[in-house]
Each structure stands twice: as structure tokens, then as C-alpha cells.
């Protein structure tokens, strides 16, 4: 009999591809073959960012069309969800059929919950199935509770928040969520909002058929959520990006020079600034941030993605680079997981995407939270109010985080010994969860043993 063979399908976004690819490496370590399916658009980016030695035979990178035409706006989520569902199911069926012909038949589907509809394909083809959720378990618990939120009067039947009831808590000890931050509610026009809301409804309906729902979190981080929604199993933190010469699934080529630059600085001294893969900031904000970093007087490493500035290619004030010299390093894309594992990094100015949050937590880093949209506000509330390992940065009336605030909060953060202790303690808990005998270790093993069994 051949290797158990998994078809893995991420939602087409950077913060989804990276953790799912890491999970697939875990499967490869346990004797699986994986076919990792990106959209053609993302596949090209991942391949272009790869170095030659970073692929492994048991993890095949393949692509299928996403159904979007030249005329479509790739940022239009409603159009994207429609196109994915219209185009991909047939392509996935063909991949499964082809695998039967090649003597390495697919035995299981591992699907990002954001692509939940694909589980129907797996069911039709008789494959085992599991869903992976790459954000906070709490956010999935909220989405799984849509019907309850409607009956509690938080949302109307179209998923729209009911004014004055939009802040909700699923259960005791759980953070509050603003219903306006649920992803469909961030979309401007009503029709598109309805399409995306229905997309989510459909994806959770399909979850009834899965053998597992797993997420990149760990028990102590979200304990009340795992009691509230016991079907969601934490297997994290995934050791993303730490495998030597293995592709991480980046959409941009990494600039590894920043690692040797970090080597030049004392432990805990560097301010690391990164806003993930999607955030965009106004030029005026970027300039203020640059001046704030300069004002800290500390070394800083700042990721300035080519598309970070909404209205200008050059984010920095004149002479900024000359003034800061070697004290500041700017890169277009950092090997963030390695950066956060570096002892020189003292704090992380972050947009609080879940992957960034987990990467900071598992390395015991302190956060300055600068959320931009959606679940990032929930993650900020975890970091600042529940785990107490960070402070939030608050924009003023003009919507700008001013340089003085950045400077003063960096100082407060780096001088807070209790906060540092809590961050170290979270790091230890993260580690003990994935060590043999830990809850995440146990959940991952259960998941792997189940999907190894050939048929549902
Ligand atoms: N990332 C990276 N280098 C960078 C910026 C981000 O490797 O310069 C990675 C980061 O480590 C994380 C992912 O990109 O794994 C971003 O995911 P996250 O959930 O934090 O944010 P999103 O991009 O989804 O908003």
C-alpha cells in the first residue's frame, strides 16, 4: 500500500497558505504524501519566491484556476468567493480522479475552513476530511454560533449587527467581539455583504461532515473557548517557518540579510515592526511611524512591503535613512518566524494577525498592537486584556498614531518586568503544549492517526 495521501487546500491568502503548509510538513514527517493546491495566481508567487533547494518530494505544489477573469478585482471578496465555488470543485475532483490513476490515490482532504464548501467534494469522492482554522478559535466559535447570535439579537437574519447590541461575548471569560468586525460586515455594499455572509453560512453547514476541526492555537490561550466549542481542537503553536531550507509558502521573496543584522544587536534591544500581508497605511501614517521609530533611539527592523503605502511608493521622510543609518533596517519581506525567534528582538509592533500573534507568543515577545481590520481587534484584546503581554496603540482624532505615543509605549513596554514574565510563561506553555504529552501534541496525534486510516 502507498503512503496516505492528503489533498490540502488553503484559502487564497498569505496568512492561510503559511500555517497550512506548516501543518502539511507535520503530515509529511508522519509518513504522508501531500498535494498542496494553490490558486494559479498564488502558485506562481510561491514558486517565484522559492529557492531551489526548498521543495520536498512528498509535498507537491500544484495549482488550479480560481475562476477570476482579467476584468475581476482580486480584492473583491464577494466576487472571489463566487468564482472559487463555481470553478474549483470540478478541478479538485479531477485531481482526486487523477491520483487514483497514478497509483497514489488521495485518502483525505485537509481544507481551510474558509474553503469549507470543498469538503462536499471530498465527501462525494469518499475521502476522509478535516477542516483547519488559521485564526483564533474564538472567532470560529463566533461564526459557528451565527444562528445563536441571530436569536440573541446581536445580528439580524442577514448577519448585520443590530445597533447597540453589536458587542457580544459568547460565554464567561471569553473576550468581547464587535459584530461589525465579522468579515462580511466589513464589506461596503449590501449585495456583496449578503454573498459573503451566505458563503460563511454554507461553509459552517458543511463542517458537520468533517472528522476534525483543528486550529493553530493552544489550550491555555483560549481555554474558555475550547470548553464552549469542544469540537475545535488546538494543535498549535505550529512551528511555522523554522524548518531549515523548507519553503514556507511566502508570496514575496524573503530578505534574509536582516538576520545577520539582528546578530549585531544586544538581546531584547530591537523593535520589530510588521503589518502582515494585507494591511495598507496612508503615507502620512508611514512617515509618522518612521519618525516615531527614529525617536525611540532604539534599533529597529521594519517590514515595508512594496504595497504597504496606499498612496505612495516611498514611505519614508527625506533623509530618514541617512539619519538612522545602520540603527534601522527596512526590508520588503522578512523571514518573520526566524526574526521573532531571534533574541535581539525585544518587542513586536504588530497588526495582530493571528499568525503574527502566535509567532510572537511562542517566542515570548511583547506586543505593541496596531490592529487594522476584522479579527485583529479580537487578537488585540487577547494580547492586552487577557494574556496581558502587550499594549495597544491608539490613533488620534485624525486617525494617526503619533510618534510620541510610539516612543513612550515602547519604553513602558520594555521596562515592564511583569509583562515580560507573563510573555516568558506563555512561551513555556506554548512549548509544553507541543512537547510529547502536551494537549496540542495529543490532539495532533489523534488527528494524524485518524486520517491515516484509509477510509471514512
Ligand atoms: N510574514 C512574514 N514576513 C513579513 C511579514 C509577514 O513572513 O515580512 C508572515 C508572518 O510571519 C505570518 C504571515 O506572514 O505568518 C501573516 O499572517 P497574519 O495572520 O499575521 O496576517 P495577515 O497577513 O493574514 O493579515
Amino acid at each position: 500500500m502507498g503512503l496516505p495521501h492528503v489533498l490540502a487546500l488553503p484559502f487564497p491568502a498569505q496568512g492561510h497558505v503559511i500555517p497550512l503548509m506548516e501543518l502539511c510538513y507535520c503530515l509529511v514527517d508522519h509518513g504522508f504524501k501531500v498535494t498542496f493546491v494553490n490558486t494559479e495566481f498564488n502558485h506562481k508567487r510561491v514558486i517565484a519566491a522559492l529557492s531551489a533547494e526548498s521543495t520536498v518530494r512528498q509535498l507537491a505544489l500544484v495549482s488550479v484556476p480560481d475562476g477570476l477573469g482579467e476584468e475581476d478585482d482580486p480584492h473583491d471578496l464577494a466576487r472571489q468567493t463566487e468564482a472559487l465555488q463555481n470553478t474549483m470543485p470540478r478541478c479538485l475532483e479531477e485531481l482526486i480522479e487523477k491520483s487514483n490513476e497514478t497509483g497514489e490515490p488521495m485518502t483525505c482532504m485537509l481544507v481551510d475552513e474558509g474553503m469549507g464548501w470543498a469538503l462536499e467534494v471530498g465527501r462525494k469522492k469518499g475521502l476522509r476530511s478535516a477542516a483547519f482554522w488559521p485564526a483564533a478559535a474564538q472567532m470560529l466559535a463566533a461564526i459557528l454560533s451565527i444562528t445563536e447570535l441571530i436569536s440573541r439579537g446581536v445580528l439580524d437574519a442577514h448577519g448585520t449587527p443590530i445597533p447597540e447590541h453589536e458587542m457580544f461575548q459568547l460565554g464567561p471569560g471569553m473576550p468581547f467581539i464587535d459584530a461589525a468586525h465579522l468579515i462580511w460586515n466589513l464589506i461596503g455594499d449590501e449585495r456583496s455583504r449578503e454573498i459573503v455572509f451566505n458563503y460563511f453560512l454554507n461553509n459552517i453547514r458543511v463542517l458537520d461532515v468533517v472528522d476534525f476541526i483543528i486550529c493553530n492555537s493552544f489550550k491555555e490561550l483560549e481555554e474558555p473557548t475550547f470548553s464552549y466549542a469542544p469540537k475545535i481542537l488546538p494543535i498549535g503553536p505550529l512551528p511555522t517557518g523554522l524548518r531549515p531550507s523548507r519553503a514556507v509558502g511566502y508570496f514575496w521573496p524573503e530578505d534574509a540579510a536582516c538576520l545577520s543584522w539582528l546578530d549585531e544587536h544586544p538581546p531584547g534591544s530591537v523593535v520589530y515592526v510588521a503589518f502582515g500581508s494585507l494591511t495598507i497605511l496612508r503615507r502620512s501614517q508611514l512617515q509618522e511611524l518612521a519618525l516615531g521609530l527614529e525617536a525611540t533611539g532604539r534599533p529597529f527592523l521594519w517590514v515595508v512591503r512594496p504595497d504597504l503605502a496606499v498612496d505612495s511608493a516611498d514611505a519614508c521622510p527625506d533623509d530618514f535613512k541617512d539619519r538612522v543609518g545602520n540603527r534601522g533596517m527596512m526590508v520588503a519581506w522578512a523571514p518573520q518566524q526566524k526574526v521573532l525567534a531571534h533574541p535581539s528582538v525585544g518587542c513586536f509592533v504588530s497588526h495582530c494577525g493571528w499568525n503574527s500573534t502566535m509567532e510572537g507568543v511562542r517566542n515570548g515577545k511583547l506586543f505593541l498592537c496596531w490592529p487594522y481590520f476584522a479579527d485583529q481587534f479580537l487578537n488585540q484584546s487577547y494580547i492586552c486584556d487577557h494574556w496581558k503581554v502587550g499594549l495597544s496603540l491608539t490613533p488620534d482624532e485624525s486617525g494617526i498614531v503619533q510618534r510620541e505615543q510610539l516612543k513612550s509605549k515602547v519604553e513602558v513596554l520594555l521596562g515592564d518586568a511583569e509583562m515580560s514574565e507573563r510573555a516568558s510563561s506563555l512561551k513555556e506553555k506554548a512549548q509544553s503544549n507541543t512537547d510529547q504529552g502536551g494537549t496540542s501534541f495529543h490532539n495532533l496525534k489523534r488527528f494524524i492517526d485518524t486520517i491515516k486510516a484509509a477510509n471514512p
Side-chain angles (χ1 to χ4, degrees), residues 15 18 250 276-277 303 333-334 336-337 351 353-356 359 376:
I18 292 174
Y250 287 157
S277 60
V303 178
W333 189 254
Q336 177 164 301
Q337 301 84 5
H351 74 309
W354 185 251
N355 293 295
S356 297
E359 290 156 10
Q376 296 157 13

Side-chain angles (χ1 to χ4, degrees), residues 85-164:
Q85 290 181 101
N86 289 338
T87 309
M88 273 199 177
R90 186 62 214 131
C91 303
L92 296 176
E93 281 185 32
E94 281 169 13
L95 279 177
I96 296 169
E97 285 157 13
K98 212 165 108 200
S99 78
N100 292 333
E101 290 157 21
T102 56
E104 291 186 311
M106 289 172 178
T107 47
C108 177
M109 253 183 141
L110 175 56
V111 167
D112 190 312
E113 203 281 328
M115 303 289 264
W117 51 266
L119 293 163
E120 294 276 26
V121 176
R123 181 166 57 174
K124 196 166 141 197
K125 292 288 177 188
L127 267 55
R128 282 198 176 279
S129 57
F132 174 64
W133 177 252
Q138 161 80 9
M139 196 39 102
L140 179 57
I143 293 169
L144 292 174
S145 308
I146 287 176
T147 318
E148 185 197 317
L149 294 174
I150 293 172
S151 61
R152 272 171 55 180
V154 174
L155 301 174
D156 70 15
H158 307 280
T160 309
I162 296 183
E164 289 167 37

Side-chain angles (χ1 to χ4, degrees), residues 29 190 277 279 305 324:
D29 290 345
E190 206 175 310
S277 60
T279 308
R305 276 191 348 261
V324 294

